[in-house]
Amino acid sequence: MIPKKIFPQNIYLNLALIFSISSVILVGLFSSNIPSIVSWGQKYEDLHFNLSVSFISSYIFYFIVVHLKERKDFQYTLPYISGLTNKVLSEHKSLMISLDQRLTGNKNYNTAITPQLREEDLYKILSNLALADEAPLLLATENRNTNWREYIIFRCEETRASIEKIISLTLFLQSEYAHIILKLESCSLLKTSDNLKSPAFVQMVNNSGMNFLLNDFYKYHIICLELEDYKNKNMTVFA
């Protein structure tokens, strides 16, 4: 995510700089040797030269005072953003591993790899899983495991907390990354977790299969895989 080139990546700004420098050079080298064709030619040439010099001065000021400072701030902030990204992906991986273990029964899972669950896999898992069933998360204060309702709420709240911190740093986010994060922030699973706190909603679905959450889980899974792919390509230096 750190810009590889030191200059601003605004193509129009850079083209204007090149045009201004070229104008100053051409006027400085050839102006005295070329007669004006029209009466106001010299005034136009002087105006064009002065505007070009002014733009070059403004660009240098922007580059030193604004751009270099923003780039330095961005480099300092990126490890923090990367850490929050890893936290979001860790919550996703934990949730998907827990679901995949219900499908495969494999207790010795490679936690370094995120399960590539298909939609049909999720349907099979969720259809045979109830919110009241025991989940693989220990509540130390109560000496018991959470149920799946509590487990989903916990993972979603942890994810939302990290996303909120990332969004607060919008100034330092590249557009592609910000787009993925905003998709995840509006993901239906994170919003559905609020419904799971409602006693009336829980009473209605507590002992039924969780396949009503299939679409929510699948969209969440796909977005997180997209985020993981972006991180591996652009943020590996801070992984």
Side-chain angles (χ1 to χ4, degrees):
M1 290 176 67
I2 295 178
K4 296 180 180 179
K5 299 179 180 179
I6 193 171
F7 289 99
Q9 299 303 294
N10 187 320
I11 186 171
Y12 299 108
L13 188 66
N14 292 334
L15 286 175
L17 175 66
I18 294 171
F19 178 75
S20 297
I21 292 174
S22 301
S23 298
V24 169
I25 293 173
L26 289 173
V27 171
L29 291 178
F30 303 110
S31 174
S32 59
N33 299 323
I34 301 175
S36 298
I37 299 176
V38 294
S39 59
W40 44 265
Q42 187 60 47
K43 292 183 179 180
Y44 173 79
E45 183 181 285
D46 292 341
L47 176 63
H48 183 77
F49 180 86
N50 291 333
L51 288 175
S52 296
V53 170
S54 298
F55 181 83
I56 294 170
S57 301
S58 299
Y59 186 98
I60 293 172
F61 177 84
Y62 165 78
F63 180 80
I64 295 174
V65 177
V66 179
H67 176 69
L68 289 183
K69 181 181 181 302
E70 286 183 351
R71 194 173 190 275
K72 187 176 181 180
D73 291 344
F74 184 71
Q75 290 174 319
Y76 285 143
T77 308
L78 185 55
Y80 179 63
I81 296 173
S82 182
L84 291 171
T85 303
N86 288 336
K87 173 66 174 169
V88 169
L89 294 175
S90 176
E91 296 298 334
H92 165 250
K93 184 186 296 182
S94 297
L95 188 53
M96 291 301 120
I97 287 176
S98 299
L99 289 171
D100 195 45
Q101 286 175 335
R102 298 286 300 209
L103 178 67
T104 63
N106 182 11
K107 300 299 182 183
N108 300 315
Y109 207 91
N110 182 1
T111 56
I113 301 174
T114 303
Q116 303 292 310
L117 293 174
R118 300 168 301 173
E119 189 171 10
E120 51 266 37
D121 295 329
L122 285 172
Y123 179 79
K124 186 183 298 184
I125 297 166
L126 296 174
S127 296
N128 295 283
L129 191 62
L131 290 173
D133 290 348
E134 186 179 274
L137 179 65
L138 178 67
L139 280 177
T141 56
E142 300 181 23
N143 195 29
R144 69 172 179 86
N145 274 33
T146 62
N147 56 40
W148 273 90
R149 180 185 69 85
E150 295 167 326
Y151 185 56
I152 293 170
I153 291 172
F154 172 77
R155 293 297 180 198
C156 287
E157 287 184 342
E158 290 292 300
T159 298
R160 280 195 294 194
S162 297
I163 289 174
E164 287 173 3
K165 292 176 183 177
I166 293 173
I167 291 176
S168 70
L169 299 169
T170 302
L171 177 65
F172 305 102
L173 306 182
Q174 291 190 343
S175 58
E176 183 182 356
Y177 175 83
H179 177 66
I180 298 172
I181 287 296
L182 290 174
K183 281 199 301 183
L184 189 57
E185 190 267 341
S186 61
C187 176
S188 54
L189 181 65
L190 301 187
K191 298 182 183 300
T192 301
S193 65
D194 289 332
N195 293 332
L196 297 180
K197 299 176 184 178
S198 166
F201 182 82
V202 171
Q203 186 176 7
M204 179 177 64
V205 301
N206 208 29
N207 294 307
S208 61
M210 287 169 48
N211 54 327
F212 69 95
L213 292 173
L214 173 62
N215 190 51
D216 300 332
F217 264 105
Y218 187 65
K219 287 182 178 178
Y220 165 76
H221 181 48
I222 293 301
I223 296 171
C224 284
L225 289 179
E226 184 182 357
L227 178 62
E228 183 175 24
D229 181 63
Y230 179 90
K231 189 209 75 165
N232 291 337
K233 291 179 179 177
N234 300 280
M235 304 172 73
T236 50
V237 67
F238 296 112

